[in-house]
Amino acid sequence: MTLPPLHLLIGSYTPTGGGNATGISILDGDVVSTVAVLDDPSFLAVDGDRVYAVSETIDGGVHAFRRSGSALEHLWDAPAGGDAPCHVRVDPSGALVVTNYVSGTVTAVSLQAAEAYAASSAGAVHGGGAGVGAGVDAGASAAVHGVAGQGAGVSAVLPDAALATEVLPDATGPDEDRQEGPHAHQSIATPDGTVLVADLGGDALHEFRISADAGSVSIEPLRVHHVTPGAGPRHMAWVDRDLIVAGELDGRVYRLRRDESGSFREVCATSVLNGPDVPSLLSHIEVDERRLVTVAVRGRDQIVVLDTVDDGLHVVGAASAGGVWPRHFARVPGYLLVANQMSDAVAVLPVGDDGVPGEAVGQIAVGSPACVIPLG
């Protein structure tokens, strides 16, 4: 089978996090190369020509780049507001939303303020003839990251006014090993103009209102939506106005709907696990244009597809992920691209008429892939 031409950005784990990559990789045709040297860029977000990456380290950070073809130009850095940032997303409010797993915190970065500050810093560097660190606030040290093909990049460290951080309420769950405290995993925009954050440690979805402009950014807590104890909510997706949630810890997919009070209530839940009792941890989840739900299952190393007819969740089928430890996946026409972290490869799976993938028809070699983003 001839594979389609693929153009992808791939986030990975580096030796800092026990992985084998050197930073952010790009696939252009059949060539994979490193385009930004960065510790543990485990999740990426792309918005136009902007690329945002977390650095999933203790006291982690978030980094912005401008993409031109297959090159990344480093623009600015910001603290993540916590430990082990594991997800980043551009919100309609104009903020970049970062969730920090270990510390259980959420940070919003005003992109308008970040762009203005980075531009003024670059102007100071080029106009004043100063070296690395010019244009950065006095007393702040400029972080420098190697950018493949560009040498060292000058970092603009954002001022405090461009960031806001919220700490999730202290909470625990029945899994003593994984739910000893709040763990913010993913954020998602709601149809109501708010933001939901999945708290794997506290078995809850936290709802916020985020506002951002050129001068400030804010996070306003609105309410907490509790889910089944021990579910460990990780990633979320929408089908119409119903929220689909992957329970990482209990192997169940949940369908939630707002009631008249504004709270999310469970409509139904379905286990995706059958067969031998092996460790199984749900990871990424998406809903396609046919309203089919696709979820990756680590441990079993499967991709499971469910339909959503009649307000339900019904397993259509399951298939091999094409590798070990499927952490994330993305769609291109006719194929599912699965980032198999422990196989050092992204598997290319053809998708059947029923939405269930077939056997892998290709493997894209890349160290410890954790996130895959198709580029237009």
Side-chain angles (χ1 to χ4, degrees):
M1 178 179 293
T2 302
L3 297 181
L6 296 173
H7 192 39
L8 313 172
L9 274 177
I10 302 167
S12 296
Y13 284 101
T14 66
T16 301
N20 301 312
T22 54
I24 301 172
S25 301
I26 195 164
L27 170 69
D28 194 356
D30 57 359
V31 177
V32 177
S33 57
T34 299
V35 287
V37 176
L38 188 66
D39 284 338
D40 292 337
S42 63
F43 208 90
L44 312 174
V46 174
D47 184 37
D49 68 348
R50 294 301 193 261
V51 176
Y52 305 99
V54 300
S55 184
E56 192 179 335
T57 60
I58 298 301
D59 194 21
V62 60
H63 312 277
F65 302 85
R66 179 189 291 113
R67 181 173 66 90
S68 177
S70 294
L72 295 183
E73 176 193 357
H74 183 220
L75 298 176
W76 53 261
D77 297 318
D83 298 336
C86 61
H87 188 268
V88 61
R89 183 182 59 83
V90 177
D91 188 69
S93 65
L96 190 70
V97 182
V98 184
T99 46
N100 298 288
Y101 180 82
V102 169
S103 56
T105 55
V106 183
T107 293
V109 181
S110 167
L111 289 175
Q112 190 175 357
E115 288 283 329
Y117 192 74
S120 65
S121 297
V125 170
H126 296 302
V132 172
V136 179
D137 285 346
S141 61
V144 178
H145 303 286
V147 180
Q150 305 251 349
V154 178
S155 168
V157 180
L158 301 185
D160 290 344
L163 300 98
T165 296
E166 187 72 22
V167 181
L168 299 187
D170 192 26
T172 60
D175 188 327
E176 295 180 358
D177 292 333
R178 297 290 308 279
Q179 295 185 305
E180 79 295 346
H183 294 305
H185 215 303
Q186 183 216 25
S187 76
I188 191 171
T190 77
D192 307 298
T194 59
V195 172
L196 289 172
V197 172
D199 176 6
L200 183 147
D203 287 322
L205 309 177
H206 298 268
E207 189 166 7
F208 301 97
R209 188 175 306 282
I210 296 179
S211 302
D213 57 31
S216 65
V217 61
S218 64
I219 306 176
E220 176 190 0
L222 299 177
R223 66 176 70 209
V224 180
H225 309 274
H226 297 284
V227 300
T228 300
R234 177 188 173 98
H235 275 204
M236 303 167 284
W238 293 100
V239 56
D240 302 325
R241 291 184 66 89
D242 286 359
L243 185 68
I244 308 299
V245 181
E248 174 172 334
L249 302 183
D250 70 355
R252 294 168 68 83
V253 175
Y254 293 83
R255 184 171 188 163
L256 309 180
R257 184 177 298 161
R258 280 198 197 267
D259 63 16
E260 293 181 354
S261 73
S263 296
F264 280 96
R265 304 296 183 188
E266 183 179 313
V267 176
C268 63
T270 299
S271 174
V272 301
L273 309 180
N274 53 46
D277 184 17
V278 299
S280 301
L281 300 172
L282 273 58
S283 57
H284 188 55
I285 194 166
E286 287 189 8
V287 177
D288 69 12
E289 67 282 355
R290 294 182 291 177
R291 304 172 80 250
L292 293 174
V293 176
T294 302
V295 61
V297 186
R298 295 166 297 172
R300 291 176 183 264
D301 299 331
Q302 289 184 328
I303 301 295
V304 179
V305 177
L306 307 93
D307 70 36
T308 58
V309 299
D310 300 327
D311 285 350
L313 285 169
H314 311 280
V315 175
V316 176
S320 168
V324 179
W325 214 249
R327 191 175 186 90
H328 188 255
F329 59 81
R331 300 177 186 280
V332 296
Y335 296 90
L336 195 71
L337 309 175
V338 183
N340 288 307
Q341 180 185 340
M342 296 185 182
S343 294
D344 291 331
V346 174
V348 182
L349 311 181
V351 177
D353 292 339
D354 60 356
V356 179
E359 185 176 348
V361 294
Q363 298 284 347
I364 302 165
V366 59
S368 308
C371 178
V372 54
I373 307 290
L375 299 172

